[in-house]
Amino acid sequence: MKELSDIVHAFDNAQKAGRQTALATVVHVEGSSYRRAGARMLVTEDGQLTGAISGGCLEGDALRKARLAMAQQKPMLVTYDTTDDDDAKLGVGLGCNGIIHILIEPIHPALPNNPITFFKQFLNARDPVVLITIFTLNDKQSAQPGTCALMNKDGQVTGVFPDSIIEEAVLADAKNVLKNGNSVTKTYLYDDRFTCFVELLQPAVSLIVVGAGNDAIPLTQMAAVLGWQVTVVDGRANYSVSDRFPLANKLLVAKPDNALSKLNIDNRTVFVLMTHNYNYDMAMLKQLLPLQLPYIGALGPKKRLNRMLDELREEGTDINKEQLKSIYGPAGLDIGSENAEEIALSIVAEIQAVLAKRNGLSLRYKQATHNRDEHIVQQSLNANTLS
């Protein structure tokens, strides 16, 4: 969620400077594109861009459209058809062979339910939310409602729908997305008037690095670049210090027995055990196993991890198959890593793959998919459930 954090920060700076802003959002993709639905970019009236909606080829034209939207003070839907040679003539030249729909919304700070307010509500808590954006795909000249509502983890809704006739159906879909915890974004088409982009926003990854050795430094640096929340835990007070880990959000000096009580752990929390202290790592692993975390990385050779697990079993710890699935040791993808920076890169990549439920293979072996991870679902206006 680093992109959203950057956008909020840029918006606040623009407000202080008295500059108008507009938000460009990829709301639907047909075919292939560089960014998927949910990619966003904040545009200021003086041309500053924060975030991205493409690989750099759409931004210039989107800036011109955003300035027009700010001048007219109304949202607009812009479509780039990269399957059409005319795009290349216009200077877009995406070469992605897809159709990208961009919603551009002027931000009205005085309105309580503007997109930035929703972003701040989401970023202020470590809970998943569903963001609802409504537009008219079949008639770009019609009014474009835009980012209109947010549903929190308890099902409470903030915002106003443009038409009560679709509210019940959209909220039923939003509850389903929230319940399933599915990070895949979906676009639902209701009649010919409204297209609804129902998007699950997940909190930033919380990375707990157990070990404050020199090899932990590049890992925390790379995680910080991604916008992850980083905590470093170590029993040595002279190692776990801000001078060594300036980008860490939290530094904790603790023994294994009381470390977890000082941490906030949820389903977006991952651990990497890298103290190089066998007993410390094993004591932490024993406490982590029952938590059913999505990822526990163990640095070092496989035989070291197996020895830990064997000793825990001998002590009477029951380790089931589900718990073993969460342990990745040796930690990291097989990319030929040798030094600390390369190992950090492999670990960060593995964590990202695990959380995204991907296999970590090279993209050259990936079969082409239509609309990437999106789905169009035709529904009647009185529909209450996903078809």
Side-chain angles (χ1 to χ4, degrees):
M1 288 295 104
K2 185 176 185 301
E3 190 167 70
L4 286 186
S5 297
D6 291 343
I7 285 173
V8 168
H9 181 69
F11 172 81
D12 288 340
N13 287 339
Q15 280 293 105
K16 292 176 183 177
R19 300 190 184 98
Q20 292 187 64
T21 58
L23 182 70
T25 305
V26 178
V27 290
H28 183 54
V29 174
E30 301 171 55
S32 62
S33 70
Y34 187 83
R35 297 293 305 271
R36 67 183 66 185
R40 292 179 173 85
M41 178 177 73
L42 187 78
V43 182
T44 64
E45 61 180 305
D46 61 343
Q48 295 183 33
L49 307 178
T50 303
I53 53 173
S54 74
C57 37
L58 281 182
E59 277 69 8
D61 190 70
L63 170 60
R64 291 188 288 271
K65 298 294 197 308
R67 281 174 167 162
L68 177 60
M70 283 185 272
Q72 296 178 343
Q73 284 299 292
K74 65 178 183 179
M76 66 168 62
L77 187 67
V78 181
T79 298
Y80 297 96
D81 186 351
T82 66
T83 65
D84 190 341
D85 290 339
D86 285 343
D87 266 346
K89 295 175 184 177
L90 290 171
V92 177
L94 297 175
C96 291
N97 197 32
I99 302 174
I100 302 100
H101 303 277
I102 311 290
L103 181 68
I104 302 176
E105 307 171 75
I107 304 298
H108 303 286
L111 297 180
N113 295 319
N114 67 71
I116 302 298
T117 300
F118 292 141
F119 297 162
K120 289 181 176 180
Q121 182 178 337
F122 164 63
L123 292 170
N124 286 336
R126 281 197 57 81
D127 294 311
V129 301
V130 172
L131 191 66
I132 299 169
T133 304
I134 298 179
F135 53 101
T136 304
L137 189 63
N138 291 337
D139 185 1
K140 298 180 182 62
Q141 303 307 314
S142 297
Q144 304 294 337
T147 308
C148 65
L150 179 143
M151 177 182 286
N152 69 15
K153 67 181 181 67
D154 298 319
Q156 297 175 334
V157 179
T158 304
V160 179
F161 283 83
D163 194 325
S164 60
I165 198 170
I166 68 167
E167 182 174 352
E168 183 178 358
V170 176
L171 291 182
D173 293 347
K175 288 179 180 178
N176 194 39
V177 169
L178 191 61
K179 178 181 178 181
N180 293 336
N182 190 352
S183 61
V184 176
T185 53
K186 298 183 179 180
T187 304
Y188 304 97
L189 183 62
Y190 291 86
D191 197 31
D192 290 329
R193 293 182 58 196
F194 299 108
T195 309
C196 306
F197 176 40
V198 183
E199 177 187 13
L200 179 67
L201 299 180
Q202 293 274 26
V205 176
S206 174
L207 171 64
I208 314 295
V209 181
V210 182
N214 290 342
D215 54 353
I217 295 174
L219 179 58
T220 63
Q221 292 171 336
M222 291 183 189
V225 169
L226 294 173
W228 295 1
Q229 295 181 1
V230 181
T231 300
V232 178
V233 180
D234 200 294
R236 301 165 292 184
N238 59 327
Y239 274 65
S240 186
V241 294
S242 58
D243 287 346
R244 288 169 53 77
F245 298 96
L247 299 181
N249 301 91
K250 183 177 182 180
L251 297 170
L252 178 60
V253 178
K255 295 180 179 179
D257 293 341
N258 57 19
L260 293 191
S261 64
K262 299 178 181 179
L263 299 172
N264 295 320
I265 300 174
D266 55 32
N267 61 3
R268 295 282 288 174
T269 302
V270 297
F271 279 76
V272 178
L273 306 178
M274 53 189 310
T275 65
H276 301 284
N277 182 312
Y278 181 86
N279 292 327
Y280 195 109
D281 284 353
M282 187 171 71
M284 287 295 296
L285 181 60
K286 181 179 181 179
Q287 298 177 77
L288 296 177
L289 282 172
L291 301 182
Q292 292 293 289
L293 298 166
Y295 180 95
I296 303 172
L299 201 67
K302 186 74 172 180
K303 63 181 181 181
R304 182 177 187 267
L305 173 60
N306 289 337
R307 180 186 167 193
M308 286 183 188
L309 294 172
D310 288 341
E311 289 191 19
L312 289 176
R313 291 188 183 98
E314 291 172 1
E315 292 176 0
T317 302
D318 184 23
I319 304 174
N320 58 44
K321 292 182 179 180
E322 288 303 313
Q323 291 171 340
L324 288 175
K325 286 181 181 179
S326 68
I327 305 174
Y328 293 79
L333 297 180
D334 184 5
I335 59 173
S337 303
E338 292 291 339
N339 58 42
E341 289 75 17
E342 293 168 350
I343 292 171
L345 175 63
S346 73
I347 293 174
V348 167
E350 183 177 53
I351 293 172
Q352 173 62 29
V354 169
L355 294 178
K357 299 180 181 178
R358 299 299 175 91
N359 54 27
L361 291 176
S362 173
L363 289 174
R364 68 181 293 179
Y365 301 116
K366 182 180 178 181
Q367 294 183 352
T369 57
H370 195 61
N371 289 351
R372 300 195 68 165
D373 291 329
E374 298 179 34
H375 305 280
I376 285 287
V377 181
Q378 298 281 349
Q379 295 189 331
S380 61
L381 289 176
N382 62 357
N384 291 324
T385 58
L386 291 173
S387 62

